[in-house]
Amino acid sequence: QVQLVESGGGLVQAGGSLRLSCAASGNILRIDVMGWYRQAPGKQRELVATVTRNGRTNYADSLKGRFTISRDNDKNTVYLQMNSLKPEDTAVYYCNADILTTQIEDLNAWGQGTQVTVSS
């Protein structure tokens, strides 16, 4: 069993900042790519950012410069620092991870999501 638990969402005014965290736990041997996705009401889920085990990052073009993804491999945790937030950043943010389990099984896991609301 593997579990991803997000935290750090909430309500913030436009221009403010939030930091999301996502901790993976369970029968984990290794985590490869970790990432964040978001889904706004009435829209499809979209990529926010990903980070590989060795720290290579990838961002949605529209978010470069405002969002920063990072991870702590020892803690199996990925972070998303969000600055200069805009009302259009309002969405449920989901954590995702490519995990090799102790049963030598490749698993793509999702967290339950955390709500981010940016008021104007």
Side-chain angles (χ1 to χ4, degrees):
Q1 293 284 351
V2 171
Q3 189 175 19
L4 300 181
V5 178
E6 300 114 330
S7 61
L11 174 64
V12 64
Q13 288 188 331
S17 298
L18 281 175
R19 188 189 193 215
L20 306 183
S21 299
C22 171
S25 63
N27 300 329
I28 298 170
L29 184 61
R30 188 186 71 239
I31 303 177
D32 294 318
V33 179
M34 301 187 81
W36 290 95
Y37 293 74
R38 69 183 184 182
Q39 187 166 18
K43 295 187 177 181
Q44 290 188 334
R45 191 171 298 189
E46 63 178 2
L47 169 73
V48 174
T50 60
V51 58
T52 65
R53 184 170 181 80
N54 61 10
R56 181 173 296 180
T57 58
N58 178 56
Y59 294 91
D61 287 342
S62 62
L63 300 177
K64 290 179 180 178
R66 292 195 300 123
F67 288 16
T68 303
I69 191 170
S70 61
R71 64 188 282 176
D72 184 330
N73 291 330
D74 291 336
K75 296 181 179 179
N76 288 336
T77 300
V78 63
Y79 305 96
L80 184 69
Q81 178 66 43
M82 305 185 292
N83 298 327
S84 302
L85 283 162
K86 305 175 181 180
E88 51 263 43
D89 294 318
T90 296
V92 178
Y93 284 70
Y94 295 92
C95 175
N96 178 266
D98 290 326
I99 296 171
L100 180 65
T101 71
T102 54
Q103 287 77 40
I104 315 300
E105 176 184 13
D106 289 318
L107 180 67
N108 183 262
W110 289 91
Q112 82 286 355
T114 186
Q115 177 70 46
V116 171
T117 303
V118 184
S119 63
S120 58

